[in-house]
Amino acid sequence: MIKKFLDLGYQPLANKYLKSYKKLSIKKKELYRLTVGFDTKTKLVSLFNKIPDKIMFDGNYPYKSSMSKTMTDSFRKLSVKIKNRFNPKLFLEIGSNDGALIKNFNKNQVICVEPCSNLAKITKRKGYFTYNDYWDLNLSNKIKSKFNSVDVIYSANTLTHINDLNQVFKSISNLLTQDGILIIEDPSFLECIKKLSYDQFYNEHIYIFSALSVKKLINEFGLELFDIEKLDTHGGSLRYYIKRTNNNKIKIENTVSKQILTELKFGLDNFSTYLKFGNSVKKSKNDLLKLLKTIKKKNQKIIGYGATAKASTVLNYCNIENDMIDYFVDTTPDKKNRYMPGKNIKIKKYEKKLLNNVDYVYLGAWNFSKEIFKKEKKFIKKGGKFITHVPSPRII
Ligand code: TYD
């Protein structure tokens, strides 16, 4: 049974950055109610309203994995690890985006799967075998008829975006060799709780995994966890290493039981923990608004840094308008001169000078704060301050 624990109100689609500001109303189809529930049986956290994949992932998807040094470094390190540990003859990535990971592999070794045509074009152009398609059983069979099987399947921040998880894992199991390895990484719900990062919820994040829920989910498909790594990416993620249950050649590391035990200690199997999280989110909203209003009373200027999907959730849940945040800066070319979803707040192409005469910078990309602080030493030296809502609204 799925029990509701969080209501983030009516929200526009995240990652849809409009060219002109359009006042959205509840009556209009563009808004959906962002409510989140916990399945007491499967331990899976999911959205109640699921937007069809084809609406979310089209030919104009703006997010590019290569946009930050943090991510490209993380992918480079991972490619070395995969080669050393598993030495795959054939490697498949579900949600290959702009090729940030696969560019570290040989072209004849890789299959890319990417539903967004603007991104699939990039890896095709670079010479990587790319299927511009959604991950499902049809595609899995199509790949099987051409390549037979795949040794390592990898997917980062993608499987939680797909509605039908049963089909996802069936399609993976269909294609994996007997000794094959599946590696997935996604934001960790334990980190969400610790950081009170409710902005991990938006229409694309249909599920937020915990080790507890992944363990249960994959068991149904004859798969099991054999290792878990903690990552700093996306505000705290877990990388799950998965094998076939009947593959006894691979040892199960104690990282698996350790993570499960930690999650149980935090009460991730218990609905009351989720209710508590929901209540703390309401307080976080009030505290953030209080903080922004206090600053604006002093006529000081606040801008946003990183026009993230996460920030879209915060702005719309807290009803933050351009009388509080003047504009956002972002390095992504496709977000330039667009508007934050649902809000009359413009996104300007990042330039250092846009931080001149700014008193406070709200971190839309708080998950990259280290990289941003390094880049903005001059702003900090001049007395500029950052604002974040993670783990609680405050000035840094
Ligand atoms: P991310 O946190 O991955 O976002 P989402 O919530 O959308 O999944 O995206 C980071 C965004 O921040 C991306 O649009 C690029 C932007 N950004 C900058 O503008 N400057 C920077 O220095 C960094 C690190 C990111």
Side-chain angles (χ1 to χ4, degrees), residues 299-338:
N299 279 326
Q300 289 178 304
K301 184 168 173 175
I302 310 171
I303 66 158
Y305 197 118
T308 56
K310 292 188 289 292
S312 170
T313 293
V314 176
L315 298 182
N316 287 283
Y317 173 57
C318 300
N319 203 15
I320 294 168
E321 298 283 0
N322 62 4
D323 56 347
M324 286 191 193
I325 296 184
D326 285 40
Y327 52 85
F328 267 74
V329 292
D330 197 289
T331 50
T332 313
D334 292 349
K335 294 182 184 174
K336 180 185 162 186
N337 289 337
R338 304 232 168 191

Coordinates of all heavy atoms in Angstrom, one line a residue, residues 299-338:
N299 N 16.5 45.7 1.2 CA 16.7 46.1 -0.2 C 18.0 45.5 -0.8 O 18.7 46.1 -1.6 CB 16.8 47.6 -0.3 CG 15.4 48.2 -0.4 OD1 14.5 47.5 -0.9 ND2 15.2 49.4 0.2
Q300 N 18.3 44.3 -0.4 CA 19.5 43.7 -0.9 C 19.1 42.8 -2.1 O 18.0 42.3 -2.2 CB 20.2 42.9 0.2 CG 20.9 43.9 1.2 CD 21.5 43.2 2.3 OE1 20.9 42.4 3.0 NE2 22.8 43.4 2.5
K301 N 20.2 42.5 -3.0 CA 19.9 41.8 -4.2 C 20.2 40.3 -4.1 O 21.3 40.0 -3.6 CB 20.7 42.4 -5.3 CG 20.4 41.8 -6.7 CD 21.0 42.7 -7.8 CE 20.9 42.0 -9.1 NZ 21.4 42.9 -10.2
I302 N 19.3 39.5 -4.5 CA 19.5 38.0 -4.4 C 19.4 37.5 -5.9 O 18.4 37.9 -6.6 CB 18.4 37.3 -3.6 CG1 18.3 37.9 -2.2 CG2 18.8 35.8 -3.4 CD1 17.1 37.4 -1.4
I303 N 20.3 36.7 -6.3 CA 20.1 36.0 -7.6 C 20.2 34.5 -7.3 O 20.7 34.1 -6.3 CB 21.1 36.4 -8.7 CG1 22.6 36.1 -8.3 CG2 21.0 37.9 -8.9 CD1 23.5 36.0 -9.5
G304 N 19.9 33.7 -8.3 CA 20.0 32.2 -8.2 C 21.2 31.7 -9.0 O 21.5 32.4 -10.1
Y305 N 21.8 30.6 -8.6 CA 23.0 30.1 -9.3 C 22.7 28.6 -9.6 O 22.5 27.8 -8.7 CB 24.2 30.2 -8.4 CG 25.5 30.1 -9.0 CD1 26.4 31.2 -9.0 CD2 26.0 28.9 -9.7 CE1 27.7 31.1 -9.6 CE2 27.2 28.9 -10.2 CZ 28.1 29.9 -10.2 OH 29.3 29.8 -10.8
G306 N 22.6 28.3 -10.9 CA 22.2 26.9 -11.3 C 20.7 26.8 -11.4 O 20.0 26.7 -10.5
A307 N 20.3 26.9 -12.7 CA 18.8 26.8 -13.0 C 18.4 25.4 -13.1 O 18.1 24.8 -14.1 CB 18.5 27.5 -14.3
T308 N 18.5 24.7 -11.9 CA 18.2 23.3 -11.9 C 16.8 22.9 -11.8 O 15.9 23.7 -11.5 CB 18.9 22.7 -10.6 OG1 18.3 23.4 -9.5 CG2 20.4 22.9 -10.6
A309 N 16.5 21.6 -12.1 CA 15.2 21.1 -12.0 C 14.8 21.2 -10.5 O 13.6 21.4 -10.1 CB 15.1 19.7 -12.5
K310 N 15.8 20.9 -9.6 CA 15.6 21.0 -8.2 C 15.1 22.4 -7.8 O 14.1 22.5 -7.0 CB 16.9 20.6 -7.4 CG 17.3 19.2 -7.6 CD 18.5 18.9 -6.7 CE 19.8 19.5 -7.1 NZ 20.3 19.1 -8.4
A311 N 15.7 23.4 -8.3 CA 15.3 24.8 -8.0 C 13.8 25.0 -8.4 O 13.1 25.8 -7.7 CB 16.2 25.8 -8.6
S312 N 13.4 24.4 -9.5 CA 12.1 24.6 -10.0 C 11.1 24.1 -8.9 O 10.1 24.7 -8.6 CB 11.9 23.8 -11.3 OG 10.6 23.7 -11.6
T313 N 11.4 23.0 -8.3 CA 10.5 22.5 -7.2 C 10.5 23.4 -6.0 O 9.4 23.8 -5.5 CB 11.1 21.1 -6.7 OG1 10.9 20.1 -7.7 CG2 10.3 20.6 -5.4
V314 N 11.6 24.0 -5.7 CA 11.7 24.9 -4.5 C 10.9 26.2 -4.8 O 10.1 26.6 -4.0 CB 13.2 25.2 -4.1 CG1 13.2 26.3 -3.0 CG2 13.9 24.0 -3.7
L315 N 11.2 26.8 -6.0 CA 10.5 28.0 -6.3 C 9.0 27.9 -6.3 O 8.2 28.7 -5.8 CB 10.9 28.5 -7.7 CG 12.4 28.9 -7.9 CD1 12.7 29.4 -9.3 CD2 12.9 29.9 -6.9
N316 N 8.5 26.8 -6.9 CA 7.1 26.6 -7.1 C 6.4 26.2 -5.8 O 5.3 26.6 -5.5 CB 6.7 25.6 -8.2 CG 7.0 26.3 -9.5 OD1 6.2 27.1 -10.0 ND2 8.1 26.0 -10.2
Y317 N 7.1 25.4 -5.0 CA 6.6 25.0 -3.7 C 6.5 26.2 -2.7 O 5.5 26.4 -2.0 CB 7.4 23.8 -3.1 CG 7.1 23.4 -1.7 CD1 5.8 23.0 -1.4 CD2 8.0 23.4 -0.7 CE1 5.4 22.6 -0.1 CE2 7.7 23.0 0.6 CZ 6.4 22.6 0.9 OH 6.1 22.2 2.2
C318 N 7.6 27.0 -2.7 CA 7.7 28.1 -1.8 C 7.0 29.3 -2.4 O 7.0 30.4 -1.7 CB 9.1 28.4 -1.4 SG 9.9 26.9 -0.6
N319 N 6.6 29.3 -3.6 CA 6.1 30.4 -4.3 C 7.0 31.6 -4.3 O 6.7 32.7 -3.8 CB 4.7 30.8 -3.7 CG 3.9 31.6 -4.8 OD1 4.2 31.6 -6.0 ND2 2.8 32.2 -4.3
I320 N 8.2 31.4 -4.7 CA 9.2 32.5 -4.8 C 9.2 33.1 -6.2 O 9.2 32.4 -7.2 CB 10.6 31.8 -4.5 CG1 10.7 31.4 -3.1 CG2 11.7 32.9 -4.8 CD1 11.9 30.5 -2.8
E321 N 9.0 34.4 -6.2 CA 8.9 35.1 -7.5 C 10.1 36.0 -7.7 O 11.0 36.0 -6.9 CB 7.6 36.0 -7.5 CG 6.3 35.2 -7.3 CD 5.9 34.5 -8.6 OE1 6.6 34.6 -9.6 OE2 4.8 33.8 -8.6
N322 N 10.0 36.8 -8.8 CA 11.2 37.7 -9.1 C 11.3 38.9 -8.2 O 12.3 39.7 -8.4 CB 11.2 38.0 -10.6 CG 10.0 38.9 -11.0 OD1 9.2 39.2 -10.2 ND2 9.9 39.2 -12.3
D323 N 10.4 39.1 -7.3 CA 10.6 40.2 -6.3 C 11.5 39.7 -5.2 O 12.0 40.5 -4.4 CB 9.2 40.6 -5.7 CG 8.5 39.5 -5.1 OD1 8.8 38.3 -5.3 OD2 7.5 39.7 -4.3
M324 N 11.8 38.4 -5.2 CA 12.8 37.9 -4.3 C 14.1 37.5 -4.9 O 15.2 37.9 -4.5 CB 12.3 36.6 -3.6 CG 11.2 37.0 -2.5 SD 10.9 35.5 -1.6 CE 9.4 36.0 -0.8
I325 N 14.0 36.7 -6.0 CA 15.2 36.3 -6.8 C 15.2 37.0 -8.2 O 14.3 36.7 -8.9 CB 15.3 34.8 -6.9 CG1 15.5 34.2 -5.5 CG2 16.5 34.4 -7.8 CD1 15.7 32.7 -5.5
D326 N 16.1 37.9 -8.4 CA 16.1 38.7 -9.7 C 16.2 37.9 -10.9 O 15.5 38.1 -11.9 CB 17.2 39.8 -9.7 CG 16.9 40.9 -8.7 OD1 16.4 40.6 -7.6 OD2 17.2 42.1 -9.1
Y327 N 17.2 37.0 -10.9 CA 17.4 36.1 -12.1 C 18.3 35.0 -11.7 O 18.8 35.0 -10.5 CB 18.1 36.9 -13.3 CG 19.3 37.6 -12.9 CD1 20.6 37.0 -12.9 CD2 19.3 39.0 -12.6 CE1 21.7 37.7 -12.5 CE2 20.4 39.7 -12.2 CZ 21.6 39.1 -12.2 OH 22.8 39.8 -11.9
F328 N 18.4 34.0 -12.5 CA 19.3 32.8 -12.3 C 20.4 32.9 -13.3 O 20.2 33.4 -14.4 CB 18.6 31.5 -12.5 CG 18.0 30.9 -11.2 CD1 16.8 31.5 -10.7 CD2 18.5 29.8 -10.6 CE1 16.3 31.0 -9.5 CE2 18.0 29.3 -9.4 CZ 16.9 29.9 -8.9
V329 N 21.6 32.5 -12.9 CA 22.7 32.3 -13.9 C 22.9 30.8 -14.1 O 22.8 30.0 -13.1 CB 24.0 33.0 -13.4 CG1 23.8 34.5 -13.5 CG2 24.5 32.5 -12.1
D330 N 23.3 30.4 -15.3 CA 23.5 29.0 -15.6 C 24.4 28.9 -16.8 O 24.3 29.7 -17.7 CB 22.2 28.3 -15.8 CG 22.4 26.8 -15.7 OD1 23.0 26.2 -16.6 OD2 21.9 26.2 -14.7
T331 N 25.3 27.9 -16.8 CA 26.2 27.8 -17.9 C 25.6 27.0 -19.1 O 26.2 27.0 -20.2 CB 27.5 27.0 -17.4 OG1 27.0 25.8 -16.7 CG2 28.3 27.8 -16.5
T332 N 24.5 26.3 -18.9 CA 23.9 25.5 -20.0 C 23.4 26.4 -21.1 O 22.5 27.2 -20.9 CB 22.7 24.7 -19.4 OG1 23.2 24.1 -18.2 CG2 22.3 23.6 -20.4
P333 N 23.9 26.2 -22.3 CA 23.5 27.1 -23.4 C 22.0 27.0 -23.7 O 21.4 28.0 -23.9 CB 24.3 26.5 -24.6 CG 25.4 25.8 -24.1 CD 25.0 25.3 -22.7
D334 N 21.4 25.8 -23.6 CA 20.0 25.7 -23.9 C 19.1 26.3 -22.8 O 17.8 26.4 -23.1 CB 19.6 24.2 -24.0 CG 20.2 23.5 -25.2 OD1 20.8 24.3 -26.0 OD2 20.2 22.3 -25.3
K335 N 19.6 26.8 -21.7 CA 18.7 27.4 -20.7 C 18.8 28.9 -20.8 O 18.0 29.6 -20.2 CB 19.2 27.0 -19.3 CG 18.9 25.5 -19.0 CD 19.3 25.1 -17.6 CE 19.1 23.6 -17.4 NZ 19.6 23.1 -16.1
K336 N 19.7 29.4 -21.7 CA 20.0 30.8 -21.8 C 18.7 31.6 -22.3 O 18.0 31.2 -23.2 CB 21.1 31.0 -22.9 CG 21.5 32.5 -23.1 CD 22.5 32.5 -24.3 CE 22.5 33.9 -24.8 NZ 23.4 33.9 -26.0
N337 N 18.4 32.7 -21.5 CA 17.3 33.6 -21.8 C 15.9 32.9 -21.7 O 14.9 33.4 -22.2 CB 17.4 34.2 -23.2 CG 18.5 35.2 -23.2 OD1 18.9 35.8 -22.2 ND2 19.1 35.5 -24.4
R338 N 15.9 31.8 -21.1 CA 14.6 31.1 -20.8 C 14.1 31.5 -19.4 O 14.8 32.2 -18.7 CB 14.8 29.6 -20.9 CG 15.4 29.2 -22.3 CD 14.6 28.2 -23.0 NE 15.0 28.0 -24.4 CZ 14.3 27.3 -25.2 NH1 13.2 26.7 -24.8 NH2 14.6 27.2 -26.5

